[in-house]
Amino acid sequence: MKFWCSGITSVLMVLSLFGSACVERQPDETAIAAPDARALFEEIYTHLEEGDTGEALNLLRYAVAELPDGIDKQNAFALKVDLLLREDRVEEAQEIYIDALTADPECAERAHGMIEQYLELDDDETLLLGWVQRVLRAEPPPALQTAYLQSELLILQRDADIEEVCKALDRYSAEFDPAIIESVTFALAEKLIQDRQLDDAERLQQWLTAAADRDEIYLRASALLETELVMARNSWELFNDSAQRALMMLDEREAGTRFARWLRGARRARQVDVADRLAAQTLTWHERFPVTAALAARWYLSIPWDQGDGEEALTRFKRLSVGGGLPPQYLTPLIGWMSNVIFSDGTQEQSVKFLKISDALPWSEIADDARSRFLGILLDISFNAADYDRSIAFLDEGLPQYDAEWHKLMRNKVYAHKAEDAGDTDEAIRRFRVFMEDIAAEMEGEDKQELLDPVSGQRVTPSMILALNARRIGDILSRSDRAEEAAAAYDEAVGYYSRALEEVGAKSAEAAWIRTQLDEMADTQP
């Protein structure tokens, strides 16, 4: 007797007992005539605990015959198959399963896999293959057709050779729905690629190509596998043509998934030019694949940027965003991405170039809330570009997310930088002092409050902002040969930095930044 333990007996008993208790029986004639499933399963379970499998099987035969269609009947059937296998009555289990394929397919689906697991204990795959083929000849429902066909093909590929798999596909393709054949073949080929059995996978791809003469449904799977094999074999010179053919056979959802997968694969393989060409080509299909094209646009910009070619990224951004044909809903995230990287990592020259491009952007096509968000980052970029007139223009237009006091604070700060840039020392210092007074007022009662420094973009405490501005005043005075005043401003800055160290955690990033500032001042000041 085989040691057979499917693990389903206790599971099905619990599911059936609780499931039956939770289902409210409707007071119709069928419900009244049907046996009480809960009581029936409790009795079956009692016989099993007592080791009386025979009586349990008799009750299960009654349950399968008399219970109405539903989960209780399906569980009873699966438990019946399980108990027959425990008794090594495999032929009887097979017979009731074959009958159920047509008489009660939902019960067959519930018990799917149990007989196969039992036969696998023999390590004789001839028995397993014979059983799987018998099920397929019995014309199972589509879900089981797929499952059993997958099983047969896996057995043949593992124990015979790929040509036997192709012969089976020839046979079944004349009987089964082409969609099932295509799905199963593609899944097996992808598994073989994953397992690096590339020759076998290529043979399945060739079978699909030939089968396309009978039904065009096979073309899609063939094209996808061709591209997957090109990547697996590192035949990158063939990749772009293959990927383009495959993508054109897909719907939007699958095109986006495959595009992202293939592009990441190319970049992992350091095939930057290949990835770049794929992104550029996919962009031309924005009318057919608008979502995928938007994703491609992001890659099309990020590839040169990540390679250190910010100028090329900006040139591409201008080409796409100014008359590039992308719908506004996809243009908006593109502007957001480009503006963020320019602000975070761009040079002053790149900031200037981005602002020029922004003048030509189709702002009228972009939603008001998105435009308001962009105004904030454009203001920051204008600081990086030292284009203070532009900064004032942004503030005059107004940022709805900030109040009047914030606008007043920022406007004064901008004028301070503008005066410094023009060499007007006294006006610059006056403006910076006004800014510091406003910040000091903000500190009252909230000395732990964080603010955003508009020049550095760093989150800082008010004391840190005061220190930065006092140091800046010292630098302005030093450049104007006003040494005593400069020294006093530097001492003031040290005092604010010391206070800021008390406001932040000793091991925080802010504390490390403050110490760096103090070290720099110690190295550069007399």
Side-chain angles (χ1 to χ4, degrees):
M1 182 176 188
K2 295 178 183 176
F3 177 72
W4 164 248
C5 181
S6 70
I8 198 170
T9 306
S10 58
V11 173
L12 287 181
M13 289 306 304
V14 172
L15 285 173
S16 296
L17 291 174
F18 282 95
S20 299
C22 295
V23 175
E24 181 179 351
R25 301 293 185 185
Q26 297 298 319
D28 57 29
E29 293 181 2
T30 303
I32 294 172
D36 184 337
R38 183 183 180 89
L40 188 55
F41 276 109
E42 286 177 344
E43 187 175 355
I44 292 168
Y45 188 61
T46 299
H47 285 299
L48 288 174
E49 283 186 323
E50 294 172 351
D52 190 353
T53 305
E55 188 55 33
L57 279 170
N58 287 334
L59 288 171
L60 284 168
R61 291 188 188 96
Y62 169 73
V64 172
E66 299 299 329
L67 285 172
D69 291 343
I71 189 65
D72 290 329
K73 181 176 183 178
Q74 294 163 26
N75 284 341
F77 179 81
L79 182 55
K80 181 181 176 183
V81 171
D82 180 64
L83 292 183
L84 288 171
L85 294 174
R86 286 174 179 270
E87 297 289 304
D88 280 338
R89 295 159 65 177
V90 61
E91 292 183 0
E92 188 175 347
Q94 288 175 325
E95 289 301 325
I96 66 169
Y97 189 85
I98 292 294
D99 289 343
L101 288 172
T102 52
D104 205 334
E106 290 184 347
C107 285
E109 289 187 30
R110 184 68 171 164
H112 168 241
M114 297 173 65
I115 295 174
E116 292 81 75
Q117 291 177 35
Y118 177 89
L119 293 174
E120 284 174 351
L121 297 175
D122 268 333
D123 290 327
D124 183 356
E125 291 211 329
T126 303
L127 290 175
L128 179 58
L129 179 61
W131 165 245
V132 169
Q133 290 173 335
R134 181 183 174 189
V135 172
L136 288 169
R137 288 195 299 273
E139 299 182 357
L144 291 178
Q145 276 187 4
T146 300
Y148 280 98
L149 182 54
Q150 285 176 332
S151 296
E152 177 171 349
L153 297 183
L154 282 169
I155 295 168
L156 290 173
Q157 189 274 332
R158 184 171 62 240
D159 296 339
D161 59 47
I162 199 65
E163 292 306 321
E164 290 300 316
V165 173
C166 292
K167 289 177 183 177
L169 287 172
D170 286 335
R171 183 170 65 254
Y172 289 120
S173 64
E175 305 171 16
F176 290 175
D177 183 343
I180 291 176
I181 301 296
E182 187 251 14
S183 172
V184 169
T185 309
F186 184 75
L188 176 57
E190 282 207 307
K191 180 181 183 302
L192 293 173
I193 291 173
Q194 185 178 358
D195 295 342
R196 304 300 298 172
Q197 298 183 57
L198 302 184
D199 290 341
D200 281 1
E202 185 172 4
R203 180 66 185 90
L204 289 180
Q205 188 264 331
Q206 292 169 351
W207 184 91
L208 287 164
T209 302
D213 292 338
R214 300 192 299 272
D215 196 310
E216 290 185 356
I217 192 174
Y218 300 116
L219 282 175
R220 168 196 160 279
S222 173
L224 287 172
L225 288 174
E226 178 187 283
T227 306
E228 295 289 344
L229 284 163
V230 162
M231 294 176 66
R233 295 187 188 279
N234 289 315
S235 301
W236 294 104
E237 70 280 4
L238 305 175
F239 173 81
N240 287 103
D241 288 342
S242 177
Q244 289 170 28
R245 283 194 299 272
L247 286 173
M248 291 303 290
M249 297 183 185
L250 307 179
D251 59 23
E252 172 77 283
R253 181 190 60 80
E254 191 172 10
T257 300
R258 289 286 167 177
F259 168 80
R261 167 184 163 82
W262 292 343
L263 197 140
R264 285 194 297 266
R267 296 197 72 177
R268 279 196 302 270
R270 301 184 184 280
Q271 298 293 322
V272 176
D273 290 343
V274 169
D276 199 32
R277 287 196 297 273
L278 177 62
Q281 179 61 46
T282 306
L283 272 171
T284 65
W285 302 332
H286 60 81
E287 291 186 0
R288 176 168 180 166
F289 299 134
V291 177
T292 306
L295 177 62
R298 170 80 172 270
W299 284 105
Y300 186 62
L301 300 184
S302 68
I303 288 172
W305 185 270
D306 292 345
Q307 297 299 308
D309 193 350
E311 294 305 308
E312 174 63 18
L314 279 166
T315 298
R316 292 181 176 193
F317 173 71
K318 180 178 181 181
R319 186 184 309 141
L320 289 178
S321 59
V322 181
L326 284 182
Q329 64 266 38
Y330 304 117
L331 180 58
T332 298
L334 201 62
I335 297 172
W337 182 86
M338 193 77 242
S339 59
N340 276 302
V341 297
I342 288 293
F343 174 62
S344 300
D345 304 312
T347 64
Q348 183 178 22
E349 183 180 353
Q350 289 167 349
S351 295
V352 170
K353 187 172 183 178
F354 180 80
L355 288 173
K356 287 183 178 179
I357 296 171
S358 73
D359 287 336
L361 292 176
W363 293 112
S364 61
E365 299 178 15
I366 294 173
D368 289 343
D369 59 337
R371 175 170 166 72
S372 296
R373 291 195 305 272
F374 290 142
L375 276 178
I377 197 165
L378 287 171
L379 173 62
D380 291 330
I381 292 172
S382 69
F383 267 98
N384 289 349
D387 187 348
Y388 302 119
D389 289 334
R390 193 65 172 280
S391 302
I392 293 296
F394 289 138
L395 289 168
D396 287 344
E397 184 172 347
L399 281 68
Q401 62 268 44
Y402 297 111
D403 61 18
E405 287 299 315
W406 181 90
H407 281 80
K408 177 184 175 183
L409 190 73
M410 289 300 105
R411 186 174 282 104
N412 180 74
K413 181 73 168 176
V414 172
Y415 277 119
H417 283 277
K418 184 176 180 180
E420 179 187 358
D421 196 48
D424 189 345
T425 299
D426 290 336
E427 176 65 7
I429 292 173
R430 186 184 74 80
R431 290 280 186 178
F432 279 118
R433 287 295 180 190
V434 170
F435 179 78
M436 292 173 69
E437 290 170 6
D438 290 338
I439 291 297
E442 291 285 336
M443 292 172 62
E444 294 180 7
E446 295 185 72
D447 58 353
K448 301 297 183 183
Q449 179 185 1
E450 285 189 349
L451 298 173
L452 178 67
D453 180 72
V455 178
S456 68
Q458 181 178 359
R459 289 288 173 182
V460 289
T461 67
S463 294
M464 291 164 67
I465 295 178
L466 292 173
L468 280 167
N469 282 272
R471 181 180 177 183
R472 192 174 194 103
I473 289 171
D475 291 340
I476 294 170
L477 290 166
S478 180
R479 289 195 299 269
S480 300
D481 296 325
R482 294 158 64 171
E484 290 186 10
E485 293 174 86
Y490 289 137
D491 287 344
E492 182 183 3
V494 170
Y496 285 130
Y497 278 132
S498 299
R499 176 174 177 173
L501 275 174
E502 297 174 0
E503 295 174 352
V504 299
K507 296 183 179 180
S508 66
E510 291 83 2
W513 180 84
I514 293 168
R515 293 189 189 97
T516 299
Q517 299 300 308
L518 288 169
D519 290 342
E520 287 178 0
M521 291 185 68
D523 291 340
T524 59
Q525 308 308 323

